[in-house]
Amino acid sequence: MRSPRRCSRNGCPRQAVATLTYVYNESTAVVGPLAAFAEPHTYDLCEPHARSLTAPRGWDVVRHEGEFEPPPPTTDDLVALAEAVREAARPAPPRPPADDQDPPPGAPHTGRRGHLRVIPPNH
């Protein structure tokens, strides 16, 4: 399953709930709800970092005034979870017999070492 997006601030392990975008031609930093997709030149922030963000001198900050909430799971998340559950429920494939077991009577003896197989010459 895909892990939730994390805060872009160095060392912050929290889940992102907001997206920061800089509008350079207007000298504005915009902090809004978490964008549906991570985009280049935007930054995902946790709630404490989204609330405490300051902009350089001469810049304005436009901040979402409502609550920042984690996004609900997407259908991609649900499909990934269903696939993981199906994979875990599959029976394990049968294991080949161990090489150190005696071969059945009448069967030629072959040795195996890693990916190589030693086949005895025909008598």
Side-chain angles (χ1 to χ4, degrees):
M1 187 165 92
R2 189 178 63 193
S3 62
R5 286 165 35 196
R6 298 283 174 204
C7 183
S8 296
R9 295 291 298 261
N10 286 337
C12 184
R14 294 185 199 100
Q15 181 178 3
V17 296
T19 297
L20 165 64
T21 306
Y22 290 109
V23 183
Y24 292 98
N25 62 350
E26 295 180 18
S27 300
T28 304
V30 180
V31 179
L34 187 64
F37 301 100
E39 298 285 337
H41 309 293
T42 64
Y43 304 91
D44 294 337
L45 299 173
C46 64
E47 186 165 4
H49 286 125
R51 297 256 180 241
S52 65
L53 177 87
T54 59
R57 185 175 299 159
W59 283 58
D60 295 319
V61 176
V62 176
R63 194 181 323 266
H64 173 71
E65 292 299 325
E67 293 295 317
F68 290 113
E69 296 181 12
T74 65
T75 56
D76 291 344
D77 292 335
L78 296 175
V79 169
L81 178 60
E83 288 297 325
V85 169
R86 281 189 203 107
E87 183 68 27
R90 283 191 188 120
R95 294 179 48 170
D99 292 334
D100 59 350
Q101 292 179 350
D102 292 331
H109 178 72
T110 59
R112 189 168 181 93
R113 181 161 192 132
H115 65 283
L116 303 175
R117 182 180 303 189
V118 178
I119 301 175
N122 290 335
H123 293 278

